[in-house]
Amino acid sequence: MLRMFLIKLFPDKLYLKIKFYLKFGKRLKLNNPVTFNEKLQWLKINDRKDIYTKMVDKYAVKEYVSNIIGNEYVINTIGIYDKFEDIDFYNLPNKFVIKCTHDSGGIVIVKDKDSLDKEYARERINKFLKREYYYTCREWPYKNVKPRIIIDDFLESSSNDLEDYKFWCFNGEPKLCLVCTDRRSNLKETFFDMNWNLLDLKRPNHDIDKRVIKPINFELMKELSKKLSKDIPFVRVDFYEVNGKVYFGELTFSPAGGFVKFEPEEW
């Protein structure tokens, strides 16, 4: 609590400059940003549209996405709650996903309701429900998102590994696709260009997964990404492909808060 109190005292620009220097060992050039990470920090300060709040809210974004590409790509919502005690577990299906609407990482995957440790789920969700996610990396879109609990359908793939396809879009054009695999064991991150060529690009501490094959709906996901990223300087558009069907995941304006290194550094 003391750490968060002290963090809140820093104005956004100063906080980002300090964090950037501690992470990369060099000054953040907000007046003339050059690198991708520098530009993400600049966007945090200078590109603040009210619609961005809705776009990062894991519940509100569903309506936003439905209006642009159609409801058929949106994962079904089972329930939305202000507090954990409001959840009626008796009427839930056997499999589902619990997460918070305003942050990243606050998730509980339930594959068998009868074996669910409700006390663990309560502690985890309540912990993240109290988290003020905006202050960690000063990602402005999250600042005014109402903290709530959302329960979604559980997406189950016949391959037993739910690949996450993340399209990095610049001014409405997808340029890279990051594929995340083995998320629950040993996360692997693999970058491809828009012709599905494996790129010599990686993020530290994560291996490349050379087993990844081109998804059936790759071209469709590219087109949907264009529609969802139209007129936005940068946004990452995430999809899942489950048994031949595409599902929207989330929109992210600052991957890893803009504080992740790339190898080789030229990228």
Side-chain angles (χ1 to χ4, degrees):
M1 291 177 65
L2 176 60
R3 177 175 174 271
M4 181 54 68
F5 173 77
L6 294 174
I7 285 176
K8 289 181 179 180
L9 295 178
F10 287 93
D12 289 350
K13 284 186 179 181
L14 178 58
Y15 179 84
L16 291 174
K17 287 180 178 180
I18 294 172
K19 190 176 181 75
F20 194 88
Y21 183 81
L22 292 175
K23 181 66 179 180
F24 299 109
K26 56 185 179 180
R27 294 175 58 191
L28 172 59
K29 296 174 288 189
L30 288 174
N31 291 330
N32 183 32
V34 176
T35 69
F36 175 63
N37 284 320
E38 285 177 333
K39 291 180 179 181
L40 288 183
Q41 310 312 323
W42 186 93
L43 287 170
K44 290 179 189 178
I45 302 296
N46 295 284
D47 185 30
R48 297 182 169 185
K49 298 180 176 65
D50 291 339
I51 191 62
Y52 291 174
T53 297
K54 185 174 186 176
M55 292 169 70
V56 299
D57 183 319
K58 290 180 173 57
Y59 178 65
V61 71
K62 295 188 178 191
E63 179 184 24
Y64 175 84
V65 170
S66 294
N67 291 336
I68 296 176
I69 63 174
N71 189 60
E72 63 268 28
Y73 300 108
V74 177
I75 301 171
N76 178 60
T77 297
I78 300 172
I80 183 80
Y81 314 90
D82 289 324
K83 56 183 185 295
F84 191 88
E85 289 71 23
D86 291 338
I87 302 174
D88 181 5
F89 284 93
Y90 179 80
N91 287 312
L92 292 180
N94 189 51
K95 297 181 180 182
F96 51 89
V97 176
I98 313 173
K99 53 189 175 183
C100 296
T101 59
H102 70 299
D103 79 330
S104 177
I107 184 170
V108 175
I109 297 175
V110 181
K111 296 183 179 181
D112 178 14
K113 183 173 66 174
D114 292 336
S115 62
L116 171 64
D117 185 341
K118 290 183 182 178
E119 188 57 34
Y120 163 78
R122 184 199 314 275
E123 291 180 2
R124 179 170 177 79
I125 293 299
N126 283 341
K127 173 185 176 181
F128 281 90
L129 202 59
K130 297 175 183 177
R131 187 182 183 193
E132 296 180 89
Y133 188 69
Y134 154 72
Y135 287 102
T136 305
C137 293
R138 300 301 165 99
E139 296 178 73
W140 182 86
Y142 294 96
K143 187 174 184 178
N144 298 311
V145 178
K146 180 182 178 181
R148 291 178 291 178
I149 302 168
I150 184 173
I151 296 184
D152 281 346
D153 279 348
F154 175 80
L155 296 183
E156 193 165 17
S157 173
S158 58
S159 66
N160 294 319
D161 184 16
L162 194 62
E163 289 88 357
D164 197 353
Y165 301 96
K166 301 177 179 292
F167 289 81
W168 297 42
C169 303
F170 300 79
N171 298 309
E173 288 292 330
K175 296 292 186 181
L176 304 173
C177 180
L178 167 61
V179 184
C180 293
T181 53
D182 296 337
R183 298 200 68 137
R184 302 300 163 188
S185 53
N186 181 28
L187 174 63
K188 297 180 179 63
E189 298 185 331
T190 313
F191 283 91
F192 295 88
D193 67 14
M194 290 299 95
N195 293 314
W196 199 252
N197 296 310
L198 179 65
L199 297 176
D200 178 28
L201 166 63
K202 69 186 298 290
R203 300 202 283 191
N205 305 318
H206 296 298
D207 293 330
I208 291 174
D209 190 348
K210 295 185 178 180
R211 304 169 301 167
V212 176
I213 61 174
K214 184 178 180 179
I216 297 172
N217 291 293
F218 182 66
E219 296 300 324
L220 173 60
M221 287 188 277
K222 282 169 57 176
E223 290 304 312
L224 297 177
S225 296
K226 289 182 181 180
K227 294 179 179 179
L228 291 172
S229 63
K230 183 180 179 182
D231 298 326
I232 301 175
F234 173 82
V235 67
R236 197 192 72 204
V237 185
D238 297 0
F239 293 102
Y240 302 104
E241 184 180 77
V242 181
N243 301 328
K245 181 173 172 54
V246 173
Y247 291 95
F248 166 78
E250 66 180 16
L251 298 172
T252 300
F253 290 91
S254 307
F259 292 107
V260 67
K261 297 180 180 179
F262 296 93
E263 298 175 353
E265 190 175 357
E266 286 75 14
W267 281 97

